[in-house]
Amino acid sequence: MKTGLIIEGIECEKCSDTIEKKIISKSTVEKVFNSLHKKIVFVHRQKSSSQLDFLTSLADTPYLLGRVIESIDCHCCKEIRYNFQLG
């Protein structure tokens, strides 16, 4: 299993695209797989970064998700959950 982050409950394309752009800008993120039809975003760690660096760079995930939803004024993406996969 790869180290990564799963974000679930994204209902709209606007939130999905904004979250993807903000997370891909992190230096420890290799790629972001956006699966809007499944309401999931997968974030994969760069192989050259350590698990600790990856987790540290994404420590602001709850704040980031809240900011995105508030800035877009989204009413459909209220039940977003996230889960770090460690492997």
Side-chain angles (χ1 to χ4, degrees):
M1 178 185 296
K2 292 183 177 181
T3 301
L5 169 67
I6 298 174
I7 303 170
E8 299 177 283
I10 300 169
E11 301 276 340
C12 69
E13 188 173 336
K14 195 170 185 181
C15 284
S16 181
D17 289 344
T18 304
I19 290 168
E20 180 179 354
K21 287 175 188 169
K22 293 211 181 266
I23 289 179
I24 198 70
S25 69
K26 308 275 186 181
S27 63
T28 60
V29 173
E30 179 180 322
K31 64 181 175 178
V32 176
F33 177 70
N34 189 337
S35 181
L36 187 58
H37 69 284
K38 292 184 178 181
K39 303 176 188 174
I40 293 177
V41 171
F42 297 98
V43 181
H44 298 281
R45 174 179 62 95
Q46 257 189 13
K47 292 173 180 67
S48 61
S49 67
S50 72
Q51 187 173 346
L52 180 61
D53 289 341
F54 177 74
L55 296 173
T56 302
S57 76
L58 293 173
D60 67 341
T61 297
Y63 178 69
L64 177 130
L65 295 174
R67 264 193 351 231
V68 166
I69 292 169
E70 288 173 9
S71 69
I72 294 174
D73 194 29
C74 182
H75 300 288
C76 59
C77 296
K78 298 293 183 188
E79 297 295 322
I80 293 181
R81 297 165 308 284
Y82 63 94
N83 182 21
F84 286 99
Q85 289 183 332
L86 306 177

